[in-house]
Every structure is written in structure tokens, then in C-alpha cells.
DNA sequence: TTGACTCAACATCCTTTGCTACAA
DNA sequence: TTGTAGGTTTCCATGTTGAGTCA
């Protein structure tokens, strides 16, 4: 008996002769389609279905992928840990996630994987900036045209780079055109909508790259199912000193002013009292969602949330943080500094007071390029940014970071730290200052991200 | 082609506790 | 008496991004 596999709009269609689908061994993800009398599975099950059919000793007429072999080569020589990472991925049947810190050379590993597999490849990235970086790198490395989905162009080639958004729109149409898919910053794939990208593609080989695989909402489990488990992981501290700059993190506690303290305590207790009365325990992650839900029709819940938000503003934008920043800027006159905040308002205030070039979400692409280019060539020695420079932008090297405020996200912290870890010519140490308001919830927030 | 706009998607947002109605 | 479930269609606010539309 011969089983036929076909790709159809993001699914794998399974046909057996005489409608003998019922007599097939159980196949991963395949369900009977009562209308057509055949079996059907989401496309990402393709590799597993092939394996199951092969184990069962059935003959397969495979019409899913019909891909040309690519003859690629690269001049790159992998470092030892890069080689180990790639080998681990290959040992896991060309599936899985590599967890490496920013600056460890994830792109190089992906390029080597493409050379070894020699199959059409789709690279999926979160931003247009990254799309350009990857495309430029691949064009320089391989002597083939590189396609682009995103940023206004939709051109498909054997090797194509796409944004997550465009990949989401195109996956159904191109799901049978690639043998390998590389997800850069693969933690994004845990997003409710984005995970469909991986479901609709038939590509048997899947490589995920990230500096922080785990997600607070546990969606990395979904990512592991779609791309493969974490195959290799190396920590910043394993590379610091050799391939990355050695670094120090200095936490500086700052007192609230009496006026700030009074307002903070009032707002915080409004929140805490409501939480206590409502019996919300925050024992699991969804409790906060529960509170948000309530605030839709319970005015007191809404008031509590607004109070919490006001308290957060006070502790994150505390006056004395700005004073401490002044002395840090003074001490590091000769250094290259990036100042990070959580609020755009504060970015503009700091920009005005210390004459720092500012970048926020409101900064246009052209102006942003200009600022970063001047930071790169040394015209500017310091910049202040909101959450913009956290990921997906090629930020010139700095050696001092000042985190004035941030979330409890481990990912955000890792990315900000990564901004100062490119090895220094003089072998110098990088420093990250973390300003935290004493005796506020910010102490917990700061603990959580480390 | 560009620039300004809107829209949708995604991420973060968190604390020290214990109710109430109903079915079996 | 004991065990269990308890919104249905999420979504307080802020920040960031990519895609699409229109002039």
C-alpha cells in the first residue's frame, strides 16, 4: 500500500488508496477529514508523519516538498561553542532552539546550518532593521539573490528573509517552498498569532535562535513543540572575558523624596487594600489578568489598577535617580553611555536636561538612523532611549549602560546588558548601573529580572 | 516614492492571603 | 458535610512595531 502526502494551504493531506485511511497506523496530528475521506494534519507535523510512515514500513509517495539543492559555501570558521551548538542541533534531527547571548554570533551558526543542509531557507525576524541586516549579511556571504517579505517588498527567492508579520500573512502560500526555517529571536513565536507561522510551514528542519528562551507565560513550551526543544545553551558569564567583554552590574539604591514617599505609599496602599479585600493572592500568573478583567465592570478594581500604575510611575521616575544619573554621567565623561528608561516622558526630560540625543517609539526611522550613526562614529558619546533599543536594532557599541527604570523582564535586562558586551579593544570592563528606588516594589522588580 | 496616519498584535502589568453558593 | 466551581465575548494603561491606506 502506498500513502500519498500533499501540501495544501498550510496542511499536509494524507491519501491512502480506496479510502483506506482508517487502516493506517496512527499518524502524529492527522485527523480524518470527513468531507474528502482523507487525512489531514497541520503542516508542521510533516517530518513526524514521514518518520511514522517509515517506521511502519509503508511506501510513501511524497509530493509535499520539491526543492532544488543549493550549493552554498561560507568563509566563516565557527568558534568552539558555535560548533558545539550546531552539532547539538544536528543531533536533534535538525530541530531545536539555540540559546546564546547577544553578540555570540547566532547569525554565523545559522549560515553554517544553511551551508550544511543546502536547502531553500526562510529566515524569520521580528523587525525590518533585522530583516535588512540578515539580507545584507546573506547577500555578502552567498552568491545568490536573497528574497524579502516585509518592509514593502514581497519577493520570494530560494533564500528569503521575512518579518514575523509578513510570514504570518504568507505562510499558507509558501509553506512548501522551504526545507529549513530559521526563527531569529524565536521567543516571539510564542505569541498567540505568530505560532501559526510555524504550524503552516512544512519545513522539516527548524532552527530557533534567542538569548532568552523561557517566557514568563510558559509559551516557550509551545515554541518547543513547534521548533524543537532547547538544544544548546550558553550563558553570558561563560563567554564574558573571552568572546564578550567582562562586566560588572552595580545596583544603586535611591531614596524617594518625602513628597514622593507620601504619594507612593498612598497609591500603593490603595492597590494593596483592594487586592486584600478582593482575596486575590497572585499565586499564579493569571491572577493579575483576573484583576484586569474585573476592572472592566468594577470601579474599585479600576481605581486599584490606576493607583498601582501611578505608584509605578513615582518609583520609576524618582527625582533622585536623575541626580544620581548626573553624577554617573560626570564620572564617565570619556565613556560611551546608553541610558535606558521605561517611560518616554522621562526620556525627553533627560534629553532636555543633559542634552542627550533621544530615541523613543516616536522617533522616525530617518532621525533614528542619524542618531545611531553619529553615536557610532563618535560624534555623540551618549544616548537616552526608552524600550526601543532592547532588540532588533544594530546599536553601536557602548561600555556603560544606565538602567534608570525597567520592567521585571529577564529578557529586557539581558538585552540591555548585551548592548555593552562587545569585547573592548583595550580589554576594559563594561559597567551596568541599575538605579532602584529603596523600599518600593521596584526592589522586587529588580530582583525578578536577574 | 514618501510621509502621516490608523490599526492590530505583542509585552508587561503582581503579593503574602482564604469567600460563597450550590450540588452530591 | 464535603467538594467544587466561580464570565460570556478578555483587556485598567503604556510602549513598541509592522502592515495597510491615502494623499
Amino acid at each position: 500500500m502506498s500513502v500519498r502526502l500533499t501540501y495544501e494551504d498550510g496542511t499536509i493531506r494524507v491519501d491512502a488508496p480506496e479510502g483506506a485511511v482508517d487502516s493506517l497506523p496512527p499518524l502524529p496530528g492527522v485527523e480524518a477529514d470527513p468531507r474528502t475521506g482523507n487525512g489531514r494534519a497541520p503542516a508542521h507535523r510533516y517530518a513526524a508523519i514521514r518518520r511514522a510512515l517509515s517506521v511502519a514500513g509503508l511506501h510513501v509517495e511524497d509530493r509535499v516538498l520539491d526543492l532544488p539543492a543549493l550549493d552554498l559555501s561560507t568563509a566563516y570558521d565557527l568558534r568552539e561553542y558555535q560548533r558545539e551548538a550546531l552539532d547539538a542541533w544536528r543531533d536533534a534531527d535538525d530541530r531545536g532552539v539555540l540559546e546564546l547571548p547577544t553578540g555570540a554570533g547566532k547569525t554565523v551558526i545559522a549560515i553554517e546550518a544553511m551551508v550544511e543542509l543546502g536547502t531553500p531557507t526562510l529566515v524569520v525576524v521580528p523587525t525590518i532593521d533585522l530583516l535588512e541586516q540578515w539580507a545584507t549579511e546573506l547577500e555578502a556571504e552567498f552568491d545568490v539573490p536573497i528574497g524579502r517579505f516585509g518592509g514593502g517588498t514581497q519577493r520570494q527567492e530560494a533564500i528569503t528573509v521575512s518579518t514575523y508579520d509578513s510570514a504570518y500573512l504568507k505562510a499558507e502560500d509558501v509553506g512548501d517552498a522551504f526545507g529549513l526555517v530559521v526563527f531569529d529571536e524565536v521567543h516571539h513565536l510564542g505569541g498567540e498569532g505568530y505560532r501559526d507561522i510555524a504550524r503552516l510551514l512544512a519545513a522539516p528542519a527548524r532552527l530557533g535562535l534567542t538569548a532568552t528562551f523561557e517566557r514568563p507565560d510558559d509559551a516557550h513550551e509551545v515554541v518547543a513543540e513547534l521548533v524543537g526543544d532547547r538544544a544548546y545553551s550558553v550563558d553570558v558569564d561563560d563567554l564574558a572575558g573571552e568572546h564578550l567583554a567582562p562586566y560588572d552590574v552595580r545596583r544603586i539604591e535611591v531614596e524617594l523624596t518625602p513628597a514622593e514617599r507620601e504619594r507612593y505609599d498612598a497609591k500603593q496602599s490603595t492597590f494593596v487594600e483592594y487586592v486584600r479585600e478582593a482575596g486575590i493572592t497572585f499565586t499564579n500568573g493569571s491572577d493579575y489578568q483576573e484583576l484586569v478583567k474585573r476592572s472592566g465592570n468594577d470601579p474599585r478594581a479600576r481605581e486599584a489598577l490606576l493607583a498601582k500604575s501611578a505608584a509605578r510611575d513615582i518609583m520609576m521616575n524618582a527625582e533622585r535617580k536623575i541626580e544620581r544619573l548626573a553624577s554617573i554621567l560626570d564620572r564617565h565623561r570619556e565613556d560611551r553611555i546608553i541610558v535606558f528608561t521605561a517611560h518616554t516622558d522621562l526620556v525627553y526630560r533627560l534629553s532636555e536636561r543633559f542634552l542627550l540625543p533621544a530615541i523613543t517609539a516616536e522617533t522616525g526611522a530617518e532621525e533614528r538612523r542619524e542618531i545611531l550613526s553619529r553615536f557610532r562614529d563618535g560624534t555623540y558619546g551618549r544616548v537616552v532611549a526608552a524600550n526601543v533599543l532592547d532588540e532588533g536594532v544594530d546599536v553601536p557599541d557602548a561600555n556603560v549602560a544606565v538602567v534608570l527604570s525597567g520592567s521585571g523582564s529577564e529578557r529586557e535586562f539581558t538585552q540591555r546588558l548585551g548592548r555593552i558586551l562587545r569585547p573592548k579593544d583595550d580589554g576594559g570592563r563594561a559597567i551596568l548601573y541599575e538605579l532602584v528606588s529603596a523600599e518600593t516594589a521596584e526592589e522586587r522588580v529588580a530582583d525578578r529580572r536577574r
Side-chain angles (χ1 to χ4, degrees):
Chain A
M1 180 169 71
S2 168
V3 180
R4 189 168 69 216
L5 302 179
T6 334
Y7 180 85
E8 261 180 22
D9 297 334
T11 65
I12 302 297
R13 177 180 162 150
V14 182
D15 288 288
E18 316 289 322
V21 178
D22 296 342
S23 63
L24 291 175
L27 296 172
V30 177
E31 286 179 17
D33 186 336
R35 293 164 308 158
T36 48
N38 56 347
R40 205 176 279 280
H44 77 273
R45 299 288 198 167
Y46 170 58
I49 293 170
R50 284 284 330 223
R51 253 195 313 276
L53 289 169
S54 147
V55 167
L58 291 165
H59 178 260
V60 180
E61 183 190 343
D62 189 340
R63 298 186 183 173
V64 175
L65 302 176
D66 180 18
L67 305 172
L70 302 181
D71 185 19
L72 304 169
S73 64
T74 170
Y76 281 125
D77 217 0
L78 293 188
R79 295 172 182 165
E80 197 184 329
Y81 67 88
Q82 291 170 332
R83 187 72 249 173
E84 280 174 18
L86 184 57
D87 289 347
W89 178 76
R90 301 235 48 189
D91 287 347
D93 285 329
D94 301 340
R95 278 170 61 85
V97 172
L98 307 182
E99 189 179 47
L100 298 117
T102 313
K106 292 189 275 280
T107 315
V108 177
I109 302 176
I111 285 175
E112 182 62 29
M114 291 162 72
V115 170
E116 289 187 16
L117 267 57
T119 186
T121 300
L122 179 68
V123 179
V124 187
V125 304
T127 65
I128 290 172
D129 264 330
L130 276 173
L131 183 139
E132 285 306 322
Q133 283 170 47
W134 272 89
T136 307
E137 181 97 25
L138 293 170
E139 271 157 3
E141 200 56 33
F142 301 139
D143 194 20
V144 295
I146 304 298
R148 282 171 167 82
F149 294 155
T153 15
Q154 300 289 324
R155 198 184 69 250
Q156 183 181 346
E157 299 286 352
I159 299 177
T160 297
V161 187
S162 171
T163 60
Y164 276 85
D165 286 79
S166 284
Y168 176 75
L169 298 171
K170 300 217 63 146
E172 238 180 64
D173 299 331
V174 303
D176 57 348
F178 302 98
L180 165 66
V181 54
V182 177
F183 292 101
D184 193 16
E185 309 289 359
V186 70
H187 48 270
H188 287 282
L189 203 60
E192 217 42 75
Y194 289 162
R195 49 183 82 163
D196 282 343
I197 300 169
R199 290 206 177 100
L200 297 167
L201 299 174
R206 291 156 181 250
L207 173 61
L209 304 171
T210 179
T212 41
F213 179 54
E214 283 178 20
R215 294 171 46 117
D217 62 359
D218 288 338
H220 52 275
E221 288 166 17
V222 178
V223 176
E225 207 184 302
L226 293 168
V227 177
D229 281 320
R230 176 162 41 191
Y232 187 84
S233 175
V234 58
D235 193 74
V236 180
D237 293 328
D238 298 331
L239 301 183
E242 191 175 353
H243 300 292
L244 296 175
Y247 69 94
D248 298 307
V249 175
R250 296 194 192 151
R251 182 181 296 189
I252 298 174
E253 295 226 338
V254 171
E255 298 292 330
L256 295 180
T257 64
E260 283 171 343
R261 168 59 64 192
E262 197 180 321
R263 278 191 299 135
Y264 174 83
D265 286 348
K267 294 294 183 187
Q268 181 74 3
S269 63
T270 301
F271 176 74
V272 172
E273 270 167 33
Y274 176 82
V275 165
R276 192 165 28 230
E277 279 173 36
I280 295 168
T281 57
F282 295 108
T283 37
N284 67 57
S286 63
D287 282 7
Y288 190 82
Q289 281 307 309
E290 176 60 31
L291 179 55
V292 172
K293 229 188 266 179
R294 278 191 205 197
S295 70
N297 53 12
D298 176 355
R300 291 208 53 222
R302 184 175 140 77
E303 189 197 10
L305 273 177
L306 290 175
K308 181 68 205 171
S309 164
R312 213 165 28 232
D313 278 3
I314 295 165
M315 72 184 192
M316 285 185 161
N317 303 325
E319 197 52 42
R320 287 183 183 149
K321 286 188 176 181
I322 299 174
E323 290 167 22
R324 284 311 289 264
L325 175 63
S327 71
I328 291 170
L329 291 177
D330 209 38
R331 190 178 325 148
H332 292 281
R333 240 181 259 278
E334 304 302 318
D335 290 305
R336 300 169 55 69
I337 308 175
I338 304 179
V339 180
F340 295 100
T341 80
H343 295 273
T344 47
D345 282 0
L346 183 60
V347 170
Y348 294 125
R349 265 166 58 206
L350 296 175
S351 172
E352 230 165 81
R353 164 143 179 205
F354 299 108
L355 299 175
L356 303 174
I359 302 180
T360 72
E362 295 160 15
T363 313
E366 187 52 41
E367 191 185 350
R368 191 180 297 197
R369 253 195 302 278
E370 182 79 24
I371 292 173
L372 290 176
S373 131
R374 289 192 182 173
F375 189 60
R376 189 173 293 113
D377 70 22
T379 314
Y380 296 150
R382 37 192 70 175
V383 291
V384 55
N387 301 314
V388 237
L389 302 184
D390 288 353
E391 164 186 298
V393 191
D394 187 16
V395 177
D397 196 23
N399 61 336
V400 177
V402 186
V403 175
L404 234 61
S405 54
S407 70
S409 157
E410 189 192 336
R411 173 163 302 118
E412 180 191 88
F413 184 81
T414 307
Q415 283 163 342
R416 289 176 163 184
L417 179 62
R419 291 311 184 189
I420 55 171
L421 293 185
R422 203 169 298 174
K424 313 295 177 254
D425 293 339
D426 59 3
R429 297 182 80 81
I431 305 178
L432 183 143
Y433 292 99
E434 192 182 21
L435 302 191
V436 176
S437 294
E439 288 173 60
T440 67
E442 197 171 34
E443 294 183 321
R444 260 197 310 278
V445 170
D447 284 342
R448 206 164 58 223
R449 64 188 169 217
R450 299 268 292 284

